Amino acid sequence: MRVHKLTLAALAVAAGLSLTACQSDDDGGSGGAAQSAPSSVPLTSSGASASSGAAGSSSDSGQNSGGSAQGGGTKSGGTDSGSTNSGGADTAGGAGSGGSGKAGKCRTDDLQITASDSTIGGDPKASVTVTLKNSSGHDCVISGYAGVDLKTDSGTVSAERVSQQSSVTAVLGSGKATYFPITYPFNKTGGTGVRITGLVVTPPDETHPVTLNWPGKPSLPVTDGSGSPVEVGPVGSAGQGG
C-alpha cells in the first residue's frame, strides 16, 4: 500500500511538473507573441517613412511653389511693371507732349532780320521789304504786324498799319523766311527833305527791337503833317524782294 501511495504521489508530481512545463511553454508562446509586437515597428517605421515622404513632398511643393512665385515676381518686375514699359509710355507721352510739335512764338533772337529796297519805278510811293529768317534751328510761329520806326534827322517816324490787309498766322520752319513791306513817300523836290538815318524793327509780339541800315530812298518829303504816312503791312503780305 505504501508503495502504491508513493507511486501515486510520484505520478501526481510528474503530472504537476508536466502541467507546469505546458504552462511554461504556453507562457513562452505568449511571450513570443508579446515579442512579436516589435514586428509592428516596421509599420511604425513605414508610417514614419510615409510621413517623411509626405513632408518631403510638401517641402518640394513649397519649393516649387516658391520658385513659381519667384518666377512670377521676376516677370512682374521685369516686364509688367518694369521701367521699360513705364519709361516707354512716359517717353512717348513727352516727346507726345514735347513730341506734339507745337512751336512757340518767333522771338527776336530766333530771327535774322534784313531790309532791302523794293521800289518799282513809276510807283507814287517807294517801298522797302523786310525779311525775317528763322535761324533758331527749330520751328516757330509768327503772325501780325511788326513794329516799324524810321529814324530821321528830325526825330522818329512810326509806321502805321495797313488796315485793309489781314494778318495770317504761319509756322516758320527753321531756315525759312517771311516778309513784310514798308511803303513811304519820298522826296521828289530835289531838296534835302527829312533824311532817313536808320530803321528800327520789332518783330510781332516782341519788345526787343533790331536797328538796321536804311536801304531805301534817302529822304522823306517835308510836310505839314497832312501828307501820306509811312505804312507797314502784316507779316507774310510781301514776297521776296517786293
Side-chain angles (χ1 to χ4, degrees):
M1 276 310 272
R2 183 177 180 85
V3 172
H4 182 71
K5 288 180 179 180
L6 289 173
T7 301
L8 291 173
L11 289 172
V13 170
L17 290 174
S18 176
L19 179 61
T20 301
C22 290
Q23 289 176 348
S24 177
D25 291 340
D26 292 338
D27 291 342
S30 175
Q35 291 176 3
S36 70
S39 68
S40 66
V41 171
L43 295 178
T44 303
S45 175
S46 175
S49 176
S51 175
S52 174
S57 175
S58 174
S59 174
D60 291 343
S61 175
Q63 290 177 356
N64 292 341
S65 175
S68 176
Q70 289 177 358
T74 302
K75 182 177 181 181
S76 174
T79 305
D80 295 341
S81 61
S83 60
T84 302
N85 291 348
S86 174
D90 290 344
T91 301
S97 290
S100 65
K102 184 176 181 180
K105 291 182 179 180
C106 296
R107 301 302 182 187
T108 301
D109 290 342
D110 296 333
L111 302 170
Q112 179 182 349
I113 304 175
T114 56
S116 60
D117 184 21
S118 56
T119 302
I120 298 175
D123 285 352
K125 298 182 73 173
S127 63
V128 165
T129 297
V130 177
T131 301
L132 307 172
K133 182 178 181 180
N134 181 3
S135 58
S136 67
H138 56 77
D139 294 355
C140 62
V141 176
I142 193 165
S143 65
Y145 287 81
V148 172
D149 296 308
L150 272 57
K151 297 172 68 176
T152 75
D153 57 3
S154 298
T156 300
V157 177
S158 296
E160 299 179 6
R161 294 179 178 181
V162 179
S163 59
Q164 67 267 26
Q165 290 184 324
S166 59
S167 174
V168 177
T169 300
V171 175
L172 193 61
S174 179
K176 301 300 182 180
T178 188
Y179 313 88
F180 68 84
I182 301 170
T183 57
Y184 61 98
F186 60 97
N187 182 23
K188 301 175 183 178
T189 63
T192 58
V194 178
R195 294 193 62 82
I196 303 172
T197 60
L199 171 63
V200 180
V201 175
T202 305
D205 300 317
E206 262 285 18
T207 58
H208 180 59
V210 172
T211 301
L212 307 172
N213 292 326
W214 177 248
K217 303 295 184 179
S219 62
L220 300 172
V222 177
T223 68
D224 57 6
S226 59
S228 176
V230 178
E231 294 180 326
V232 56
V235 169
S237 60
Q240 185 174 8

Coordinates of all heavy atoms in Angstrom, one line a residue, residues 3 31 51 64 70 76 80 105 121 125 130 132 136 145 152 155 166-167 192 210 217 230 238:
V3 N 3.8 1.4 -1.0 CA 4.4 1.6 -2.3 C 3.5 2.1 -3.3 O 3.8 3.0 -4.1 CB 5.0 0.2 -2.8 CG1 5.5 0.3 -4.2 CG2 6.0 -0.3 -1.8
G31 N 4.8 34.8 -24.6 CA 6.0 35.8 -24.7 C 6.4 36.0 -26.1 O 6.8 37.1 -26.5
S51 N 5.2 59.4 -43.7 CA 5.1 60.8 -43.2 C 6.2 61.7 -43.6 O 6.0 62.8 -44.1 CB 5.0 60.8 -41.6 OG 5.0 62.1 -41.1
N64 N 8.7 74.3 -55.0 CA 8.2 74.6 -56.4 C 7.3 75.8 -56.4 O 7.4 76.6 -57.3 CB 7.4 73.3 -56.9 CG 8.4 72.1 -57.1 OD1 9.6 72.3 -57.3 ND2 7.8 70.9 -57.2
Q70 N 8.7 83.1 -57.3 CA 9.8 84.0 -57.7 C 9.8 84.2 -59.2 O 10.1 85.3 -59.6 CB 11.1 83.3 -57.3 CG 11.3 83.2 -55.7 CD 12.5 82.4 -55.4 OE1 13.2 81.9 -56.3 NE2 12.9 82.4 -54.1
S76 N 6.8 90.0 -63.3 CA 6.1 91.2 -63.0 C 7.0 92.4 -62.9 O 6.8 93.4 -63.4 CB 5.4 91.0 -61.6 OG 4.8 92.2 -61.2
D80 N 6.0 93.4 -66.6 CA 4.7 94.2 -66.5 C 4.9 95.5 -65.8 O 4.4 96.5 -66.2 CB 3.8 93.3 -65.6 CG 3.4 92.0 -66.3 OD1 3.6 92.0 -67.6 OD2 2.9 91.1 -65.7
K105 N 6.3 131.0 -80.2 CA 6.4 132.2 -81.0 C 7.8 132.5 -81.4 O 8.8 132.3 -80.7 CB 5.8 133.4 -80.2 CG 4.3 133.3 -80.0 CD 3.8 134.5 -79.2 CE 2.3 134.4 -79.0 NZ 1.7 135.5 -78.3
G121 N 9.9 151.3 -110.2 CA 9.8 152.6 -110.9 C 8.4 153.0 -111.4 O 7.7 152.1 -111.9
K125 N 4.7 155.8 -104.5 CA 5.4 155.6 -103.2 C 6.5 154.6 -103.3 O 6.5 153.7 -104.2 CB 4.4 155.2 -102.1 CG 3.3 156.2 -101.8 CD 2.4 155.7 -100.7 CE 3.1 155.9 -99.4 NZ 2.1 155.6 -98.2
V130 N 11.2 144.0 -95.7 CA 11.9 143.4 -94.5 C 11.8 141.9 -94.5 O 10.7 141.4 -94.6 CB 11.4 144.0 -93.2 CG1 12.1 143.4 -92.0 CG2 11.6 145.5 -93.2
L132 N 12.4 138.3 -92.5 CA 12.5 137.7 -91.2 C 12.9 136.2 -91.5 O 12.0 135.4 -91.9 CB 11.2 137.8 -90.4 CG 10.7 139.2 -90.2 CD1 9.3 139.2 -89.6 CD2 11.6 140.1 -89.4
S136 N 16.9 129.9 -85.8 CA 16.9 129.3 -84.4 C 17.2 127.8 -84.4 O 17.7 127.3 -83.4 CB 15.5 129.5 -83.8 OG 14.5 128.8 -84.4
Y145 N 1.6 142.2 -87.1 CA 2.4 143.3 -87.6 C 3.7 143.5 -86.7 O 3.6 143.4 -85.5 CB 1.6 144.6 -87.5 CG 0.5 144.7 -88.6 CD1 -0.7 144.1 -88.4 CD2 0.7 145.5 -89.7 CE1 -1.8 144.2 -89.3 CE2 -0.4 145.6 -90.7 CZ -1.6 144.9 -90.4 OH -2.6 145.0 -91.4
T152 N 15.1 159.6 -88.3 CA 15.4 160.7 -89.2 C 16.1 161.8 -88.5 O 16.2 161.8 -87.2 CB 14.1 161.3 -89.8 OG1 13.5 162.1 -88.8 CG2 13.1 160.2 -90.3
G155 N 13.8 163.4 -86.0 CA 13.1 162.6 -85.0 C 12.6 161.3 -85.6 O 12.9 160.9 -86.7
S166 N -5.2 141.7 -93.9 CA -5.4 140.9 -92.7 C -4.1 140.1 -92.4 O -3.4 139.8 -93.3 CB -6.6 139.9 -92.9 OG -6.3 139.1 -94.0
S167 N -4.0 139.8 -91.1 CA -2.8 139.1 -90.7 C -3.0 137.6 -90.8 O -4.1 137.1 -90.5 CB -2.5 139.5 -89.2 OG -1.4 138.7 -88.7
T192 N 16.7 168.6 -99.6 CA 17.2 167.6 -98.7 C 16.1 166.8 -98.0 O 16.3 165.7 -97.7 CB 18.1 168.3 -97.6 OG1 17.3 169.3 -96.9 CG2 19.3 169.0 -98.2
V210 N 15.4 145.6 -83.3 CA 16.7 145.5 -84.1 C 16.8 146.7 -84.9 O 15.8 147.1 -85.6 CB 16.7 144.2 -85.0 CG1 17.9 144.2 -85.9 CG2 16.7 142.9 -84.1
K217 N 15.1 155.1 -100.3 CA 15.3 156.5 -100.7 C 15.9 157.3 -99.5 O 15.5 157.0 -98.4 CB 14.0 157.1 -101.2 CG 13.4 156.4 -102.4 CD 14.2 156.4 -103.6 CE 13.5 155.8 -104.8 NZ 14.3 155.8 -106.0
V230 N 4.0 156.9 -93.6 CA 4.7 155.7 -93.7 C 3.8 154.5 -93.3 O 3.2 154.6 -92.2 CB 6.0 155.7 -92.9 CG1 6.8 154.4 -93.0 CG2 6.9 156.9 -93.3
A238 N 4.2 140.3 -98.2 CA 5.1 140.7 -99.3 C 5.9 139.5 -99.7 O 6.3 138.7 -98.8 CB 6.0 141.8 -98.9

